[in-house]
Amino acid sequence: MSIPNMLLGLLEREPSHGYELKREYDTYFGRGRPLPFGQVYSTLARLARDELVTPGEVEPGEGPDRKRYRITTAGKEELEGWLATPVEPEPHLQTVLFAKVVLSLMLGRPAERYLGAQRAAHLQRMRELTELRRGARVVDGLLADHAMFHLEADLRWIDLTETRLAQLAEVVAR
Amino acid sequence: MTAGVPSPAPVPGDGVVEARQVVRSFGTTPALRGADLRVGKGEIVAVMGPSGSGKSTLLHCLAGIFKPDRGEVWFEGRRLDQMSEDARSRLRRTAFGFVFQFGQLVPELTSADNVALPLLLNKVGRKKAYKEAGVWLARLGLGDKGGRRSGELSGGEAQRVALARALVIGPRVIFADEPTGSLDSFTGEAVMDLLVDNARAEGTTVVLVTHDARVAAFADREVMVRDGVVTDYQQVGASRSW
């Protein structure tokens, strides 16, 4: 998971306080594993250090978190690069794929193209494994098959998600 | 491409087969809505897409089986879509090999008859045709099955006979439409191994329609057909223009 990039995505949607970011994160990506407050603030501090976000002035009021964070131009470029780059095809990456799709839809970016690029990356990996498997020893062949089945499962999810993008877009829209 | 504006002829060495803005409907139902695809010499390209996306129609247009309603189909620098039915039929007999999912072997004939048939139709002498058929059956591991009829063959064997029949004429392009669709995955992969090995050995171009990622993984690259339009996501991803 790339929590810094996901927070950048939520901040591109709109400048937010740390607690708002945590709430949004937990709603869309937490799935029973809420993001600890400490991690939100430490991540925001690192993003600010790297000039990917800027903290606003401390706002008057109660509570510990009274700074509204805003994504910078460099932050937007970082986010764009992350969203546009297919994830390294490997088993168990569904959560990252899902986060990218949701953020793309939230930000009005072309989620279908992202999924298409991801499909191409997956198929490229399957091609490499197919080549490796041809003429391989049985052990190597079976290991390659194991990886192929996981990639196939991802591909089926990509296909399914593509057919549900409009529905998902409605859910994540404001 | 703007309708009505003549296209430049493909540069020599460009695509062996090419569709340019191909539109094809069946009645009022559009199957292709401006499909573009260029396949280079010796290239193996998988055409993927969901059911009803137009991928098989695209293959049939590229092979000159269907005439497009609009757009252009090129084969080795010539406009296939402007050829007469006779000329297209001759090309299909002499330059193209076909492997489909079902029902391609003539059931009354033996494997050797089926493989020799395209050569006989091309006026090759009977002795030579059967000799060639024997060579290809042996090459595909069916040297002892020449006398069997298709009903006496397993699904995988029948598909290998179909492959031998496609390869026997020395085609410049093989058009394969779901060639493993009726086979279990193990047998299907063995057929794909043979298809790819022989196509590479002969420098044959392959257009492979499949919905199966494991089959597509045998190709050099894949394109997606959606709603009658071709998208090459490898290029889209590489350009990162989005």
Side-chain angles (χ1 to χ4, degrees):
Chain A
M1 289 299 279
S2 178
I3 289 166
N5 284 304
M6 291 159 73
L7 296 189
L8 281 178
L10 294 172
L11 284 172
E12 183 176 307
R13 198 184 195 196
E14 63 180 345
S16 305
H17 296 104
Y19 64 83
E20 290 168 334
L21 283 175
K22 174 188 160 42
R23 193 184 59 214
E24 291 281 280
Y25 177 95
D26 290 349
T27 300
Y28 291 109
F29 311 122
R31 294 285 170 271
R33 294 180 62 187
L35 194 60
F37 271 114
Q39 194 172 352
V40 176
Y41 292 113
S42 62
T43 304
L44 283 170
R46 279 200 305 278
L47 291 172
R49 179 200 66 198
D50 297 339
E51 299 180 345
L52 302 175
V53 302
T54 49
E57 295 297 310
V58 174
E59 295 173 6
E62 296 295 313
D65 174 34
R66 284 178 285 126
K67 278 188 224 164
R68 195 181 290 273
Y69 289 83
R70 186 179 297 276
I71 191 167
T72 64
T73 304
K76 287 181 181 176
E77 284 169 8
E78 171 75 21
L79 175 67
E80 170 68 23
W82 179 70
L83 285 173
T85 306
V87 180
E88 188 67 28
E90 59 188 19
H92 315 304
L93 51 71
Q94 303 89 321
T95 330
V96 186
L97 289 181
F98 179 73
K100 286 194 173 196
V101 171
V102 169
L103 283 168
S104 296
L105 291 172
M106 273 182 180
L107 304 174
R109 291 167 191 258
E112 190 175 333
R113 284 201 197 175
Y114 160 65
L115 286 170
Q118 189 65 57
R119 178 189 291 104
H122 267 60
L123 279 163
Q124 177 56 35
R125 183 72 188 124
M126 286 182 77
R127 244 192 303 283
E128 291 160 10
L129 289 166
T130 298
E131 204 52 48
L132 186 152
R133 211 172 40 145
R134 300 178 79 207
R137 293 178 309 146
V138 66
V139 174
D140 297 329
L142 282 171
L143 283 171
D145 268 324
H146 183 264
M148 294 268 281
F149 283 120
H150 280 285
L151 292 169
E152 263 189 289
D154 280 346
L155 281 169
R156 291 180 68 173
W157 182 86
I158 287 170
D159 287 342
L160 179 74
T161 304
E162 259 181 357
T163 65
R164 305 271 166 87
L165 282 179
Q167 269 175 284
L168 187 58
E170 276 177 30
V171 172
V172 301
R174 288 201 157 158
Chain B
M1 189 161 301
T2 312
V5 177
S7 314
V11 180
D14 245 1
V16 168
V17 282
E18 186 172 348
R20 294 183 179 188
Q21 286 293 295
V22 167
V23 174
R24 180 66 154 86
S25 297
F26 296 97
T28 55
T29 309
L32 296 176
R33 304 166 187 256
D36 291 297
L37 177 64
R38 177 182 296 181
V39 184
K41 180 164 170 49
E43 199 180 17
I44 302 175
V45 173
V47 179
M48 302 185 74
S51 299
S53 59
K55 56 188 189 298
S56 287
T57 305
L58 177 60
L59 179 137
H60 283 73
C61 286
L62 286 169
I65 297 170
F66 293 159
K67 260 191 137 168
D69 300 332
R70 286 203 307 278
E72 303 170 2
V73 177
W74 292 79
F75 170 65
E76 293 182 342
R78 287 179 291 163
R79 283 284 295 272
L80 194 62
D81 57 290
Q82 290 181 338
M83 291 180 188
S84 66
E85 177 52 41
D86 275 357
R88 283 187 286 135
S89 177
R90 197 162 46 248
L91 262 187
R92 290 200 295 270
R93 280 203 318 272
T94 58
F96 298 163
F98 294 91
V99 187
F100 295 118
Q101 183 175 354
F102 294 117
Q104 17 186 357
L105 300 180
V106 183
E108 293 80 11
L109 301 182
T110 65
S111 302
D113 295 333
N114 266 292
V115 178
L117 191 58
L119 294 174
L120 296 171
L121 289 171
N122 286 340
K123 311 275 191 267
V124 173
R126 189 174 174 78
K127 195 172 166 189
K128 190 175 178 201
Y130 275 88
K131 189 177 170 198
E132 278 293 303
V135 167
W136 275 101
L137 284 170
R139 202 159 152 179
L140 298 186
L142 296 165
D144 57 342
K145 300 283 197 302
R148 301 269 179 92
R149 289 185 168 74
S150 61
E152 300 168 325
L153 300 170
S154 70
E157 287 169 343
Q159 206 60 341
R160 279 188 282 158
V161 173
L163 189 52
R165 194 175 64 176
L167 287 161
V168 74
I169 59 161
R172 270 116 74 197
V173 185
I174 289 181
F175 294 97
D177 193 353
E178 301 282 6
T180 64
S182 59
L183 306 176
D184 65 75
S185 62
F186 181 77
T187 311
E189 287 181 15
V191 168
M192 283 308 302
D193 266 332
L194 288 167
L195 171 56
V196 168
D197 283 346
N198 284 285
R200 294 226 166 103
E202 305 291 319
T204 311
T205 304
V206 180
V207 181
L208 167 69
V209 163
T210 182
H211 69 280
D212 184 340
R214 289 177 84 89
V215 173
F218 281 87
D220 300 320
R221 67 180 170 101
E222 77 286 339
V223 295
M224 285 292 294
V225 182
R226 276 190 191 286
D227 299 326
V229 176
V230 179
T231 308
D232 184 342
Y233 282 111
Q234 280 160 319
Q235 287 182 1
V236 173
S239 72
R240 277 188 45 178
S241 58
W242 43 284

